Amino acid sequence: MFLLLLIIFYSAAFCFLITKTGYFKIKELSVPFICGVFLLKILVGILYGHIHNVYFGGVDTYDYFNASAEIAKSFFNYPSYYIQTWLMMDPEVPDAANVFIYPKWECVEKDFGTYLLIHIHALPQLFSFGNYNVHIVFVAMLGLFASLNFYKALKDNMQIPQPLLVFTSFFMPSVLFWTAGLHKDVWIYFGISLVLLSLSKFAVRKNLAVFELFLGLFIVASFRYYLIPLLFPAIIAFVWSVYRPNNSPLYKFSLVYLVLLGFVVLLEMTGSYPIMNLVAERQQEFLNEPGSSAIKGISPLEPTFLGLLSSLPQAVFNVCFRPFLWDCKDLLQGIAAVEIILFWIVALFTLPFRRVTSPSNPMSYFLFFYAVGNLLLIGLLVSNVGTIVRYRAIALAFLSVVILQAFNYIRIGLKQRQNLISGKNAMNRKKAGQFKLFP
């Protein structure tokens, strides 16, 4: 009962903040709607924790929560241990059973995002009384900020009907679920939403919001550093396209990515930086991870460009079509399978409409190029269906926005056709009236 009252109290406090803060006042969205989205995110986050606890043994999300609880309980008794560890001083572990034990700094550095996440959630431990679901209220608020940023960034830059934009911003099933739990995904979504918001302001006002841009990149780099090489070329091509709108953005995005590819090849060929070895090592780490939904038959990636090319078809197939309905072992996988099927149905339906994206709209190309690059990276590295579904959620939402622009083109086309038919009917009536015997 106390837990429920605590969740209600914090939820009500945040809803009050939403009603009183100008950031949440958006012309097309009512305040009750935004509060409803916030409460929905809380409910989905609680479901997220329940599913992980019951079906997955509490791995990841509850591991992070328990680690943050250990830090909160022991920090004030052993502050020097925690501070020295983050200063890379490799201190001795205190002789205490309840202290959070760090591995060597090399391990902390390699998975920096995980350790950052548990330290962030050590703060709410001070007033959550050790309850997981209370933390979800704060995660839901962060997710709400991300969704609103996403909506604001796209409403003035994308040709997509309002209902579909609301759906992709707030109710995309995979994004709604995977960003609702105590995990790194909500932070990635929030960081990228800040990047999109900054670029949107630059496209509309020619004024780049530098603070939002670098804050977003910093957040993304802190939790998943390997996404930065995917974001940088898309940002450069976007700014170039807005600053010099004389040529098609497709040309500029393609050129920037070709230059990036050439740079990667140069680094690999000269031995300046072992990129292919890093990719192969990261893939091997995913192959070594336990899990009941691991994809069988995936061979370790050879750290060469030939090995990369030979692995690409399987990578594309896995990230674009799995999980299959006949392979699903639970409801969560079934929902993911239905979602990817619906995605491809919509994509194929809109394929005949050539004007899916406006040739003068750099935001479409930003979303498309980043999403495709992210999906290829996921397909190459990840060998677990559940992890693929979680990692691709944001990229799939980006591609959905690009594809759903076709419905705006269809709507405009139908409206023009209706106006044309109405005009012809009016003209016919006028001509018929001219031949009446008695006008």
Side-chain angles (χ1 to χ4, degrees), residues 337-402:
V338 171
E339 182 184 45
I340 198 66
I341 290 173
L342 291 176
F343 170 83
W344 283 112
I345 290 174
V346 173
L348 292 174
F349 173 76
T350 58
L351 189 61
F353 300 93
R354 301 294 182 182
R355 291 177 55 188
V356 173
T357 58
S358 171
S360 60
N361 184 4
M363 185 63 77
S364 294
Y365 292 99
F366 178 95
L367 296 176
F368 178 80
F369 274 80
Y370 171 78
V372 170
N374 194 6
L375 289 175
L376 288 176
L377 185 63
I378 294 168
L380 285 170
L381 296 181
V382 183
S383 55
N384 183 286
V385 173
T387 308
I388 286 176
V389 171
R390 177 162 62 90
Y391 277 30
R392 78 181 177 197
I394 297 174
L396 202 64
F398 285 4
L399 284 181
S400 298
V401 170
V402 175

Side-chain angles (χ1 to χ4, degrees), residues 170-239:
F170 300 101
F171 305 113
M172 191 77 177
S174 54
V175 177
L176 179 63
F177 181 79
W178 293 112
T179 61
L182 199 162
H183 222 293
K184 290 176 280 188
D185 299 272
V186 66
W187 287 95
I188 300 298
Y189 188 42
F190 179 60
I192 296 179
S193 75
L194 288 173
V195 173
L196 287 174
L197 190 61
S198 173
L199 296 178
S200 173
K201 292 179 179 179
F202 180 68
V204 175
R205 309 170 193 167
K206 302 299 185 291
N207 182 21
L208 188 63
V210 177
F211 175 77
E212 291 172 351
L213 176 63
F214 281 96
L215 177 60
L217 290 174
F218 175 77
I219 292 172
V220 173
S222 298
F223 288 94
R224 286 188 188 137
Y225 63 90
Y226 51 83
L227 294 179
I228 295 300
L230 301 178
L231 283 170
F232 261 131
I235 292 171
I236 293 171
F238 182 93
V239 173

Side-chain angles (χ1 to χ4, degrees), residues 289-428:
E289 287 184 355
S292 59
S293 60
I295 302 173
K296 298 179 180 179
I298 294 183
S299 303
L301 177 67
E302 292 292 333
T304 62
F305 285 111
L306 184 60
L308 178 67
L309 290 174
S310 63
S311 299
L312 269 180
Q314 186 180 43
V316 172
F317 183 80
N318 288 338
V319 78
C320 290
F321 299 105
R322 291 183 184 271
F324 304 125
L325 278 174
W326 53 87
D327 290 334
C328 294
K329 301 175 182 178
D330 51 54
L331 179 61
L332 193 61
Q333 289 186 8
I335 294 173
V338 171
E339 182 184 45
I340 198 66
I341 290 173
L342 291 176
F343 170 83
W344 283 112
I345 290 174
V346 173
L348 292 174
F349 173 76
T350 58
L351 189 61
F353 300 93
R354 301 294 182 182
R355 291 177 55 188
V356 173
T357 58
S358 171
S360 60
N361 184 4
M363 185 63 77
S364 294
Y365 292 99
F366 178 95
L367 296 176
F368 178 80
F369 274 80
Y370 171 78
V372 170
N374 194 6
L375 289 175
L376 288 176
L377 185 63
I378 294 168
L380 285 170
L381 296 181
V382 183
S383 55
N384 183 286
V385 173
T387 308
I388 286 176
V389 171
R390 177 162 62 90
Y391 277 30
R392 78 181 177 197
I394 297 174
L396 202 64
F398 285 4
L399 284 181
S400 298
V401 170
V402 175
I403 291 171
L404 290 175
Q405 287 184 107
F407 284 92
N408 187 62
Y409 174 63
I410 296 170
R411 179 178 62 84
I412 293 174
L414 291 175
K415 187 175 181 180
Q416 290 175 345
R417 184 179 179 183
Q418 184 179 5
N419 291 338
L420 182 62
I421 293 174
S422 299
K424 287 182 177 179
N425 291 338
M427 186 176 295
N428 291 334

